[in-house]
Amino acid sequence: MLLESQDTDSYIDLDVKEEGLTRRPFMKKLLIGLGIFALVSVITIGIVMIPKTNVQKTLFSSHSQANGPRTYIPLDIWNFTKDIKDVGTGAVFTIDKPHLWNGRADPFLYTAYVEVFIGSEVSDIISHDFGFRTMAISREGFFLNDEKVRLNGVNRHQDRQDKGWAVSSENEIEDFDLIYEMGANAIRLAHYQQNESVFEICNRKGFIVWVEVPFIQRFMNTRKSTDNIMNQYIELIKQNFNHPCIAMWGTMNELAFDGHESEELTAVSNMSLIAHVLDPTRLTTGAITPNFKSTDELPNIPDVNGWNFYYGWYYGEISDVSSVIDNLLKEVSFHPMSISEYGADANIKYHSENPKAKDYSEEYQTLLHMKTYEIFLTKKIWGTFIWNMFEFAVDSRDEGGVKGRNNKGMVTYDRKIKKDAYYYYIAMWSEDPFVYVSGKRFHDRAVDNIKFYVFSNQKDLKVYLNDEIIATETNFTNYKEYSVTLNKGVNIVKTISGDLEDSSEFERVTKENPSYRCPN
């Protein structure tokens, strides 16, 4: 690892030795601006490498708790006094068998401190958390510290109702707490660089992160536009180099090739080259639409690929996903692939006994996610990323009963309501015990026989209709659909597993509630 001043050529090289690791650590270089602004000729710099010994107590707590008292143990201290004009001054630290940053299982962090003295007074200080880990991707999957890990991820847009992008630290923490609760272990930060605090949260929570800049769809073929996106990309890499959570640098999203194919290919190639020069330890990636073939040039520029799939929503059928993936993977030379986007819009006001594409019902969104993700589990892909974790603003949209909004989120724009699909993924991904009955907003039912889902990660549970047992499960697996005949009036469906309990209320009505249908 290299601590390097952005203002001078001074550096500190840290040699990491870990037995049993066959891949070089991605976290190999630590860029820190020393902040030397005083007009002095002699300075003293002290470096302290320290682990957070009580890291387990603070990793997943709130922002205020995470910044509370900590215990530190110095690993080593190095001091030197040199004329500020001298360059190439450095020292080497060796950390034998470092404690590895290991995703959600053990997101262990070290902290590097750099202090600048004028005489005996500290004139400047800077610190940075970092972690040691290896990451690699092959056609067999994603590997963290040589262990295969399936990336179950989400995309995240940061805006929210009544705030837009003017979000607070508390808002950021809430977003990532919701992602963590759902059981996700990976995040694609689409489609722009986000606040430094976002990466710090991801470091502490153990998320694997795909980052990118806003090189999206339409290419403005001007020198200023090209220079702008290149500068953003360079700044993205230089500013966020140290974060162990970052696995790959995203180059683009859904380029349309609208008359500037050659220029767009050149831009993506240059971005990939820039990333490899500035950071040879991480991979590049990009999100591509399925109108490209695996043999086309664009999918083969980044090191690994993401494909945006909307089968069963914008085009095709959900079942098409299987054959499309198989055809892409047939190419022996084809780069390792992930699914960078998939999903369907759902307005929590709309519901259907027979959900179908473009009805914007909560039931269809849940159905699409269940069927699509089940297909993904059978394929050799290194990760999947739901589009989107949260509803977000899009000025040009007017569909699904809401103007200016994309409703594909697992959680509503105000972060107050978790849709049924959110609980499906808890059942599939989370180890925290829970039970859930679907259909809480589908209250009025104009048919005698209704269907609902129970989502849970518990093996033993019971399902009740109006306090009468209708099912006893002793080997329950993630989810199950049930059918019941409603009594007149209000009916309560309930599931219980030990101390866990959840219920939904359904009322038998004579006519379908017209507010459940999307007017579009």
Side-chain angles (χ1 to χ4, degrees):
M1 176 175 293
L2 186 70
L3 275 71
E4 181 178 73
S5 167
Q6 295 173 338
D7 303 307
T8 73
D9 291 327
S10 300
Y11 66 92
I12 301 168
D13 192 15
L14 300 177
D15 183 23
V16 181
K17 296 181 179 179
E18 171 65 8
E19 295 179 0
L21 290 180
T22 59
R23 300 179 180 89
R24 61 185 295 191
F26 273 34
M27 188 58 215
K28 192 69 177 175
K29 192 174 183 182
L30 184 64
L31 298 173
I32 295 181
L34 296 180
I36 302 173
F37 302 112
L39 297 176
V40 294
S41 59
V42 178
I43 61 173
T44 302
I45 298 180
I47 308 296
V48 184
M49 301 297 297
I50 51 181
K52 300 173 182 175
T53 57
N54 68 337
V55 68
Q56 297 297 331
K57 298 180 181 179
T58 61
L59 280 175
F60 310 128
S61 56
S62 69
H63 190 264
S64 59
Q65 292 172 320
N67 286 337
R70 296 172 181 169
T71 302
Y72 299 102
I73 299 177
L75 290 181
D76 204 349
I77 299 176
W78 171 62
N79 293 284
F80 75 93
T81 302
K82 285 288 182 180
D83 192 291
I84 196 170
K85 295 180 181 179
D86 288 354
V87 297
T89 303
V92 175
F93 287 91
T94 298
I95 302 176
D96 291 321
K97 297 182 179 180
H99 190 146
L100 299 182
W101 185 92
N102 198 34
R104 284 185 52 144
D106 184 14
F108 188 88
L109 295 170
Y110 290 86
T111 302
Y113 278 86
V114 177
E115 293 177 329
V116 178
F117 290 81
I118 299 178
S120 60
E121 298 294 326
V122 176
S123 64
D124 199 5
I125 184 171
I126 192 170
S127 65
H128 205 296
D129 290 345
F130 66 96
F132 298 102
R133 84 288 185 276
T134 66
M135 293 181 180
I137 299 175
S138 73
R139 288 177 69 112
E140 296 302 314
F142 180 90
F143 293 84
L144 175 62
N145 300 326
D146 286 344
E147 295 293 330
K148 187 175 180 179
V149 177
R150 185 175 192 91
L151 296 189
N152 298 315
V154 300
N155 286 267
R156 186 244 182 183
H157 270 307
Q158 66 186 3
D159 59 302
R160 62 170 57 202
Q161 187 169 314
D162 300 326
K163 284 197 168 187
W165 279 23
V167 295
S168 65
S169 297
E170 290 75 20
N171 295 151
E172 290 178 341
I173 292 167
E174 180 185 23
D175 278 7
F176 289 92
D177 283 347
L178 287 166
I179 296 170
Y180 192 86
E181 179 189 58
M182 196 169 74
N185 61 6
I187 301 173
R188 179 180 175 221
L189 295 175
H191 300 292
Y192 39 83
Q193 183 170 178
Q194 300 187 20
N195 192 7
E196 174 82 3
S197 58
V198 165
F199 298 105
E200 293 170 351
I201 293 170
C202 291
N203 289 339
R204 295 195 301 269
K205 287 188 174 291
F207 290 124
I208 306 296
V209 177
W210 164 340
V211 296
E212 57 190 30
V213 291
F215 191 20
I216 308 168
Q217 296 174 340
R218 302 298 177 187
F219 178 69
M220 293 183 289
N221 188 28
T222 67
R223 178 62 181 270
K224 286 185 177 181
S225 175
T226 302
D227 287 350
N228 179 275
I229 201 66
M230 294 302 169
N231 287 336
Q232 287 193 54
Y233 200 57
I234 291 169
E235 291 170 356
L236 174 76
I237 296 171
K238 284 187 173 181
Q239 291 173 12
N240 299 294
F241 192 101
N242 299 321
H243 297 292
C245 64
I246 296 176
M248 62 206 79
W249 306 113
T251 55
M252 45 80 185
N253 179 70
E254 295 185 347
L255 290 186
F257 278 8
D258 52 346
H260 304 293
E261 179 175 344
S262 176
E263 292 85 354
E264 290 177 86
L265 290 171
T266 298
V268 176
S269 296
N270 287 340
M271 292 173 75
S272 189
L273 177 62
I274 287 169
H276 290 143
V277 169
L278 293 177
D279 180 9
T281 67
R282 287 184 175 92
L283 301 175
T284 60
T285 188
I288 302 163
T289 55
N291 57 298
F292 286 94
K293 299 177 182 178
S294 58
T295 53
D296 288 339
E297 185 174 355
L298 182 63
N300 290 286
I301 295 175
D303 299 314
V304 295
N305 292 313
W307 294 78
N308 294 352
F309 275 10
Y310 289 99
Y311 292 96
W313 186 247
Y314 291 129
Y315 44 76
E317 303 294 333
I318 297 173
S319 58
D320 293 339
V321 170
S322 182
S323 60
V324 172
I325 292 176
D326 289 344
N327 289 333
L328 288 170
L329 292 175
K330 282 180 182 178
E331 296 295 331
V332 176
S333 61
F334 184 54
H335 291 189
M337 72 174 290
S338 68
I339 306 300
S340 40
E341 296 180 19
Y342 67 102
D345 284 74
N347 186 324
I348 58 171
K349 296 188 300 182
Y350 302 144
H351 304 281
S352 175
E353 302 286 357
N354 300 292
K356 60 183 180 180
K358 290 293 183 174
D359 67 4
Y360 297 91
S361 70
E362 191 172 0
E363 289 68 38
Y364 184 75
Q365 182 192 52
T366 304
L367 181 67
L368 181 141
H369 276 280
M370 293 169 64
K371 289 187 174 182
T372 303
Y373 187 72
E374 291 292 320
I375 294 172
F376 292 157
L377 290 176
T378 68
K379 306 300 179 182
K380 283 191 174 182
I381 50 182
W382 54 263
T384 57
F385 298 83
I386 297 167
W387 189 265
N388 196 284
M389 183 63 194
F390 306 106
E391 296 176 351
F392 61 95
V394 182
D395 289 347
S396 61
R397 287 175 68 99
D398 183 7
E399 58 181 282
V402 183
K403 291 184 178 181
R405 187 179 303 172
N406 187 311
N407 292 304
K408 292 185 182 68
M410 299 290 97
V411 180
T412 54
Y413 197 32
D414 59 8
R415 277 44 170 190
K416 291 182 179 180
I417 296 177
K418 305 165 187 175
K419 301 177 187 179
D420 283 350
Y422 179 94
Y423 293 95
Y424 163 71
Y425 285 108
I426 293 182
M428 299 299 292
W429 295 346
S430 178
E431 296 180 357
D432 294 334
F434 94 108
V435 293
Y436 180 80
V437 179
S438 71
K440 287 178 170 46
R441 287 160 290 280
F442 195 2
H443 178 270
D444 297 347
R445 311 302 283 260
V447 296
D448 290 329
N449 296 304
I450 70 164
K451 295 179 180 180
F452 63 91
Y453 288 99
V454 170
F455 298 122
S456 180
N457 51 17
Q458 301 300 290
K459 292 294 184 183
D460 300 315
L461 58 81
K462 293 181 179 180
V463 183
Y464 299 80
L465 173 63
N466 300 324
D467 292 327
E468 292 186 8
I469 295 177
I470 61 171
T472 299
E473 307 290 354
T474 58
N475 192 28
F476 190 85
T477 305
N478 305 123
Y479 68 92
K480 187 174 181 179
E481 184 182 59
Y482 296 90
S483 178
V484 296
T485 300
L486 297 179
N487 298 328
K488 291 182 179 181
V490 174
N491 296 258
I492 304 296
V493 170
K494 179 171 58 178
T495 184
I496 297 176
S497 177
D499 295 332
L500 302 172
E501 180 177 330
D502 189 59
S503 63
S504 290
E505 180 180 291
F506 307 112
E507 183 173 0
R508 178 65 171 93
V509 296
T510 57
K511 294 182 179 180
E512 180 182 353
N513 188 331
S515 68
Y516 287 170
R517 285 187 176 270
C518 177
N520 287 4

